[in-house]
Amino acid sequence: MERANGYAIELKGLTRRFGSFTAVNTLSLQVKKGELFGFLGPNGAGKTTTINMLTTLLKPTDGNAIVAGYDLVNEDSLVRSRIGVVPQSFSLFEELTPLENLWYIGELYSMDNSTVRKRSEELLKIVTLYDKRNVPTGTFSGGMKQRMSVAAGLLHSPQILFMDEPTTGLDPQSRIALRELTEELHHSGMTIIYTTHDMEEADKLCERIAIMDHGKLIALGTSEELKSLQGARHTIRLELDRHASATLVSKLKALSGATSMRNDGPIVELSVPSLRSGLVHKISDLLTREGVDLKEIKFQEPTLEDVFIDLTKKELRD
Ligand SMILES: Nc1ncnc2c1ncn2[C@@H]1O[C@H](COP(=O)(O)OP(=O)(O)O)[C@@H](O)[C@H]1O
Ligand SMILES: [Mg+2]
């Protein structure tokens, strides 16, 4: 029975163990309908295992989820009919053309021929492969193959699209094209679950982000919310008209309440928990008193990398 609530997906203590190793550890969270939702975490965090469970490829050891209104464990074939997947590694029939590959996928879903033809043409236009519709896919670049994979995932008009590290291994230009395609799909109303280990990508693309590490959810929110978590740092970068003396650096550190700082000749970078009002004035007063001119001052927002390091007390493993 389909359950109606505002969520596209609801994870309830979803867990997967491999022997005694826990790859995904009691994940509970909700994804809203129409949301572009990111799972962000280093390699081995458990992203693919999570996606594989939510797309019915792998059975949870414990817990459950409601996906597109159906019970993941007990209604897996109903879940399967309503979701599309762009897997981390996708295999095409390389001797077949895009139209022929999609034809084959249509057969797997028992779709009728005219729907498959119409839908394939529409989708190949969306993923900008229509001109190549009759060319064997073996000749395609990585970016083109990945766009083909998106078309394949969308063929049966799913309500939710799962994309597992779709840009990993692509050249910068293809990466941008794929992100734009993802945004287009999102704006057309599709719910998208997007995994990545690239913090900048998650930051730019995803509406809300679940940060995972060692199978656990360690933080969840919009990029703004995550960055405002206590501990995430703002950086103030000063460029002076001369090398900064050790005394000046330590005075700047004390004045700003910096938790850490970096000094390289005339450059001083102060990491502060927040940008207190009046701080810039105080810095400039201090410099005036010391007879030093400020050539440039720049402010940097905290990044998701700062958030991750603060939460895990380590650099992103990769
Ligand atoms: N079939 C499996 N058997 C044993 N361990 C696995 C299996 N699949 C994944 N793992 C382990 O689970 C952890 C999470 O893997 P994965 O979900 O692929 O992470 P991610 O996609 O975030 O890189 C890794 O330590 C991986 O080695
Ligand atoms: Mg993975």
Side-chain angles (χ1 to χ4, degrees):
M1 190 191 60
E2 187 167 1
R3 283 162 217 67
N5 63 21
Y7 300 125
I9 303 180
E10 198 171 358
L11 282 71
K12 302 170 176 179
L14 201 66
T15 299
R16 176 68 204 203
R17 285 184 284 273
F18 295 107
S20 60
F21 175 74
T22 307
V24 174
N25 198 340
T26 52
L27 274 194
S28 295
L29 57 90
Q30 293 97 22
V31 177
K32 296 171 203 162
K33 283 183 182 152
E35 197 165 31
L36 174 40
F37 187 94
F39 280 102
L40 171 67
N43 287 331
K47 303 181 297 294
T48 297
T49 307
T50 303
I51 297 302
N52 286 349
M53 285 193 280
L54 292 173
T55 58
T56 77
L57 292 174
L58 192 66
K59 283 207 184 307
T61 320
D62 229 320
N64 201 346
I66 304 291
V67 180
Y70 294 101
D71 182 295
L72 182 64
V73 173
N74 300 308
E75 298 170 312
D76 59 333
S77 63
L78 287 166
V79 168
R80 204 145 45 232
S81 67
R82 278 154 183 81
I83 60 167
V85 191
V86 180
Q88 190 159 3
S89 46
F90 172 69
S91 35
L92 285 163
F93 289 105
E94 304 227 324
E95 68 281 12
L96 300 185
T97 68
L99 280 176
E100 289 164 345
N101 269 285
L102 293 174
W103 187 266
Y104 172 78
I105 290 159
E107 290 288 308
L108 292 181
Y109 282 100
S110 315
M111 291 172 70
D112 74 73
N113 295 349
S114 65
T115 311
V116 171
R117 168 147 293 264
K118 188 165 158 281
R119 186 88 184 129
S120 298
E121 296 202 346
E122 273 171 24
L123 285 170
L124 290 174
K125 284 176 189 161
I126 292 173
V127 303
T128 60
L129 287 173
Y130 188 70
D131 292 348
K132 306 275 182 196
R133 65 194 179 282
N134 293 313
V135 178
T137 54
T139 63
F140 285 11
S141 69
M144 290 161 80
K145 285 180 181 165
Q146 200 57 315
R147 299 207 304 278
M148 227 353 258
S149 174
V150 174
L154 291 171
L155 186 66
H156 63 297
S157 305
Q159 295 169 8
I160 305 173
L161 185 67
F162 291 86
M163 303 175 82
D164 193 4
E165 301 223 26
T167 54
T168 299
L170 297 185
D171 61 90
Q173 219 179 337
S174 309
R175 219 176 281 169
I176 290 166
L178 202 77
R179 280 180 206 154
E180 283 173 358
L181 173 58
T182 307
E183 268 167 351
E184 239 174 83
L185 293 171
H186 169 52
H187 289 134
S188 76
M190 176 80 63
T191 304
I192 300 174
I193 311 299
Y194 192 101
T195 79
T196 180
H197 65 263
D198 180 335
M199 287 177 287
E200 217 183 304
E201 177 170 90
D203 194 350
K204 279 201 196 116
L205 195 62
C206 301
E207 288 181 291
R208 285 195 306 147
I209 300 160
I211 304 184
M212 288 183 75
D213 192 33
H214 294 299
K216 286 191 184 143
L217 177 67
I218 57 171
L220 171 67
T222 63
S223 135
E224 289 309 306
E225 287 165 353
L226 293 170
K227 288 175 191 170
S228 68
L229 289 175
Q230 204 184 359
R233 291 171 294 270
H234 293 257
T235 306
I236 305 171
R237 184 178 187 280
L238 308 170
E239 185 178 346
L240 311 177
D241 66 343
R242 69 197 70 178
H243 281 234
S245 68
T247 355
L248 179 60
V249 169
S250 64
K251 281 182 181 168
L252 281 167
K253 185 167 188 247
L255 179 81
S256 62
T259 47
S260 69
M261 50 109 213
R262 214 175 57 84
N263 170 222
D264 184 11
I267 308 289
V268 181
E269 279 184 6
L270 303 158
S271 288
V272 296
S274 66
L275 289 176
R276 284 181 282 123
S277 65
L279 184 56
V280 175
H281 271 292
K282 283 191 200 157
I283 290 174
S284 94
D285 287 350
L286 170 68
L287 294 176
T288 310
R289 282 201 303 278
E290 302 283 325
V292 176
D293 267 340
L294 185 59
K295 285 177 77 181
E296 192 178 55
I297 181 164
K298 277 189 190 163
F299 301 95
Q300 238 181 311
E301 293 263 295
T303 64
L304 286 182
E305 183 144 15
D306 298 325
V307 176
F308 185 87
I309 293 166
D310 282 324
L311 290 168
T312 61
K313 308 293 171 224
K314 64 178 182 213
E315 303 287 324
L316 245 197
R317 295 178 284 125
D318 205 17

